Amino acid sequence: MTWEQRWHPLREEWVIVAAHRQDRPWIGETVDRESTALPDYLLDCYFCPGNIRISGARNENYTSTFVFDNDHPCVGADAPSQLETPVGIFKNSAASGVARIVCYSPRHNLTLAELDVTEIEKLLTVWQEQYVELGNRNGINHVLIFENKGDVVGVSNPHPHCQIYATNFIFKSIENEARVSQKHLAETGRVLFQDIIAAELEDGRRIIFENDTAVAFLPYFARYAYETYVAPRRSHASVATMTSDEIRGFAEALKNLLVRLDNLWRMSFPYVLALHQAPTDGVRYDGFHFHIEIHPPLRRPNLLKYLAGPEIGGGNFLSDTAPEEKAAELRSQSDTHYKTVMSDK
Ligand SMILES: [Zn+2]
Ligand SMILES: [Zn+2]
């Protein structure tokens, strides 16, 4: 039985772990297990090679990754800059920035978990280029790279892709991490995320995979049942400064983790994946340690984690599962993707 509060050092908040409740009766909405197999090319997909997008632009006949400006940007150069001044204490600001899409592969049906390590390495170098190019622009103070995967997180196009929001503001989670990391560095002389990795390695129960340069784990303070992190062993404020060896090791760790998640219930595992990188506002962030966070919304094959009273009403997460048990489930999975095994037979 795990029934306690755990401190989340990156968010500076408590997570309530109440794993004794997980078998309580539940009648709730379910998520369809596996939709019908997708073809590797779709004539009416806006992201497939050679197709015409909603903006009228035609995609290149690309052969690996493909980057283009989002046709439905949340932030963009066309956002109004002359704004009505609100009354009283309210304030506003232009929703300026750059929004882009990165298709992982020309294949409509090939998810990140199914790319081979070399293809994930290539993707990481694209992320390096995008972070540097966009982060160096005037008025871009942060580059958020993320992937929404699966119907349950509201994906509009199933063609595997991630998104980039390069913005004039710094997203809240990053602002928090940057602040607590700088504070920890000033107080202890150490990088906060290095202390987290060291504690995870010392405990060992939540480590999913490690190699010479990277480590994948389900953190002690996870808010979601299968929340998992991938990080380089050496500290880098962003993906941009990682060496080719580190990129290789990171790609291997990310692939290994994603395959285990898919294998868990033999389904393409839905998640929100985000690169946490230092802001690009010109300040030095020596305490920041680049990592990827994966937040899967499912607690069981057909059961979503609902955000309710504690999370929305109160602002702290309640977790029904013990991180050690969830990590053990992932550790016990094969690191060969179930689809590969099926196609070999
Ligand atoms: Zn497509
Ligand atoms: Zn983070």
Side-chain angles (χ1 to χ4, degrees):
M1 180 174 85
T2 309
W3 189 2
E4 63 192 23
Q5 293 186 74
R6 292 188 177 186
W7 181 246
H8 194 314
L10 294 167
R11 302 181 61 86
E12 292 192 311
E13 68 191 28
W14 291 102
V15 178
I16 308 150
V17 183
H20 64 295
R21 296 168 75 248
Q22 64 185 317
D23 292 322
R24 74 187 193 280
W26 173 267
I27 302 165
E29 193 185 338
T30 60
V31 175
D32 280 339
R33 193 95 182 240
E34 186 76 292
S35 47
T36 46
L38 294 167
D40 57 8
Y41 169 80
L42 259 187
L43 196 59
D44 61 355
C45 168
Y46 292 127
F47 295 173
C48 275
N51 290 358
I52 293 176
R53 296 203 303 278
I54 201 142
S55 64
R58 185 182 284 278
N59 294 333
E60 291 168 25
N61 277 309
Y62 63 98
T63 53
S64 59
T65 52
F66 177 51
V67 185
F68 58 93
D69 286 341
N70 194 329
D71 297 321
H72 299 287
C74 282
V75 288
D78 297 334
S81 55
Q82 301 297 318
L83 303 173
E84 190 182 328
T85 306
V87 299
I89 62 157
F90 301 143
K91 63 178 179 180
N92 56 3
S93 162
S96 63
V98 181
R100 287 181 174 163
I101 304 278
V102 183
C103 290
Y104 294 152
S105 135
R107 282 186 52 190
H108 187 79
N109 56 0
L110 204 62
T111 65
L112 186 54
E114 296 164 88
L115 295 182
D116 61 37
V117 173
T118 328
E119 290 168 320
I120 298 175
E121 272 183 271
K122 169 71 176 34
L123 176 63
L124 281 157
T125 62
V126 169
W127 287 343
Q128 288 183 310
E129 291 160 12
Q130 292 293 319
Y131 178 85
V132 171
E133 189 219 312
L134 295 168
N136 278 333
R137 291 196 188 181
N138 276 336
I140 298 297
N141 292 322
H142 182 242
V143 180
L144 182 71
I145 302 176
F146 65 96
E147 176 187 357
N148 298 331
K149 176 165 173 261
D151 294 341
V152 292
V153 296
V155 172
S156 53
N157 187 331
H159 192 125
H161 68 280
C162 66
Q163 302 186 54
I164 303 175
Y165 285 3
T167 52
N168 53 350
F169 67 94
I170 301 165
F171 275 86
K172 191 65 189 174
S173 293
I174 304 299
E175 189 183 271
N176 271 341
E177 287 191 8
R179 180 178 50 78
V180 299
S181 300
Q182 292 310 92
K183 192 175 81 175
H184 191 81
L185 187 66
E187 286 172 1
T188 67
R190 299 190 309 270
V191 171
L192 175 59
F193 207 93
Q194 288 287 6
D195 283 358
I196 292 171
I197 293 175
E200 289 296 351
L201 290 170
E202 186 183 336
D203 185 292
R205 287 175 294 171
R206 293 170 304 272
I207 300 291
I208 314 293
F209 177 81
E210 57 178 313
N211 59 26
D212 287 349
T213 59
V215 56
F217 60 97
L218 194 153
Y220 171 77
F221 45 80
R223 294 182 302 158
Y224 290 86
Y226 297 98
E227 176 173 334
T228 33
Y229 290 11
V230 185
R233 285 183 190 267
R234 280 205 313 148
S235 290
H236 291 274
S238 75
V239 69
T241 50
M242 284 167 65
T243 65
S244 53
D245 276 355
E246 289 177 305
I247 289 289
R248 174 84 191 173
F250 192 95
E252 189 189 15
L254 180 59
K255 162 90 181 172
N256 188 288
L257 174 63
L258 294 174
V259 166
R260 287 170 194 272
L261 287 167
D262 276 10
N263 283 348
L264 187 63
W265 299 321
R266 298 174 72 83
M267 68 180 287
S268 193
F269 213 72
Y271 56 65
V272 174
L273 174 156
L275 278 70
H276 280 189
Q277 310 195 75
T280 54
D281 57 353
V283 177
R284 278 186 70 117
Y285 289 97
D286 293 331
F288 206 99
H289 187 116
F290 159 66
H291 56 282
I292 280 183
E293 294 191 7
I294 298 170
H295 297 106
L298 294 182
R299 297 194 294 143
R300 292 189 217 153
N302 293 311
L303 188 56
L304 278 170
K305 161 72 179 168
Y306 286 95
L307 303 187
E311 296 84 8
I312 294 175
N316 286 68
F317 267 63
L318 187 151
S319 171
D320 281 325
T321 52
E324 294 69 35
E325 285 174 17
K326 298 292 119 179
E329 288 177 20
L330 292 176
R331 285 157 64 113
S332 71
Q333 299 305 314
S334 163
D335 59 7
T336 304
H337 198 278
Y338 71 93
K339 286 188 186 168
T340 320
V341 178
M342 273 159 42
S343 63
D344 286 348
K345 281 180 181 164

